[in-house]
Amino acid sequence: MPAVATLTLSPALDKSTAVAGIVPDQKLHCAPLVAEPGGGGINVSRGLRRLGTPSVAIYPAGGPTGAQLEALLAAENIASRVIPTKSAVRENFVVVDTNTNQQYRFGMPGPPLTASEQLQVLEVLHQFVRRPEYLVISGSLPAGVHPSFLTKVVRQAREMGIKVIADTSGPALHAVIEAGAYLIKPNLGELSHLAGEAELDSASVPTVARQLMRAGRCEIVVVSQGAQGACLITPEWEDHIPAPAVKRRSTVGAGDSLVAGLVHALVHAQPLREAVRLGVACGTAATLNPGTELFHRADAEKLYHWLLKTMPAARIAT
């Protein structure tokens, strides 16, 4: 069993294309369609594979799109544990206007996950003969899944000695915090929502993050801040990691790439501050590529070494 398992409750088949100018009421001549596996945890598994860390991707899938999703992951040599579903996997669509380099993202709703299918997810997690060190829960909840289901997942993982890393939002994020996720990775907007604020400034992030730690049982918070990088908060100290300045082509998959870099480093026992720097490097590297493509390892390693050279001392909490 690999050291990492990922759980994606709302997987997707991501399709992307490009066109020179998006205008209404005209037939637009697009570039060839590219289909890739999608969904938070699945993208984390794909990113881990690029870094050389194997994982097993756990996800529900059905229909022709589910079969295509499985085939695409197999082609990338990613192990899967599939929960068969009656409903077909959803499709997402991304179009890039090459005249303006603007990106249009169309996310389709995921099909419901039935009560019996949810039980199968828990059974798959419980059946690990060799338990992974980390379980990454990433992505949105499909229809029919109450946030309390994630409470069951996290508690079951904790009982098995598995550390949970969660990248989700809203009530689902509340659920994993209360259940004792080891590490959470909200973005700034998600953290603001948790705090009941319209928008937090960077200076408020550590205080709010520590309030969440005290309210729940999570140990580490990593707040992604887009082009501004990320902020790592523990009960004792905080560290802001600025994102390297690059020419961005697409932000699709940047957050999942950050998580992949972070988890890869943790698996290989790198210090936490260096792990988050690798995460920021992978997330930034993903923005260099068009459409739904993730990062290239060479780009991520180059950005990571630059971040290490500019690493300041962490700030001690007061």
Side-chain angles (χ1 to χ4, degrees), residues 103-279:
Q103 188 180 78
Y104 299 83
R105 301 166 64 172
F106 303 90
M108 306 303 166
L113 199 62
T114 67
S116 63
E117 291 164 354
Q118 293 176 46
L119 284 175
Q120 289 180 60
V121 172
L122 292 173
E123 288 174 6
V124 166
L125 292 170
H126 189 67
Q127 289 168 358
F128 287 137
V129 177
R130 292 181 58 195
R131 296 171 181 175
E133 186 178 356
Y134 296 97
L135 171 65
V136 179
I137 302 173
S138 183
S140 59
L141 291 180
V145 178
H146 192 272
S148 61
F149 175 74
L150 289 184
T151 302
K152 296 177 183 177
V153 171
V154 175
R155 286 177 178 168
Q156 179 174 294
R158 283 172 56 90
E159 289 170 1
M160 297 170 68
I162 301 169
K163 293 179 179 179
V164 175
I165 294 175
D167 182 11
T168 185
S169 61
L173 184 54
H174 271 290
V176 298
I177 292 171
E178 292 175 359
Y182 169 67
L183 183 153
I184 60 170
K185 192 214 71 66
N187 61 33
L188 189 58
E190 292 160 353
L191 186 69
S192 300
H193 185 264
L194 283 175
E197 301 287 344
E199 185 177 357
L200 291 172
D201 57 31
S202 296
S204 304
V205 166
T207 300
V208 172
R210 290 196 179 94
Q211 289 171 352
L212 292 177
M213 292 176 189
R214 289 191 290 270
R217 287 184 290 172
C218 65
E219 299 177 34
I220 302 165
V221 178
V222 177
V223 182
S224 56
Q225 297 176 287
Q228 280 68 53
C231 188
L232 163 65
I233 304 102
T234 74
E236 296 81 22
W237 48 268
E238 66 244 22
D239 187 21
H240 179 256
I241 301 93
V246 297
K247 185 176 181 180
R248 298 172 183 267
R249 300 182 68 184
S250 170
T251 58
V252 176
D256 300 326
S257 296
L258 188 157
V259 175
L262 169 65
V263 174
H264 168 80
L266 292 177
V267 167
H268 292 276
Q270 289 183 240
L272 186 56
R273 295 183 69 208
E274 293 181 17
V276 179
R277 277 163 174 74
L278 180 58

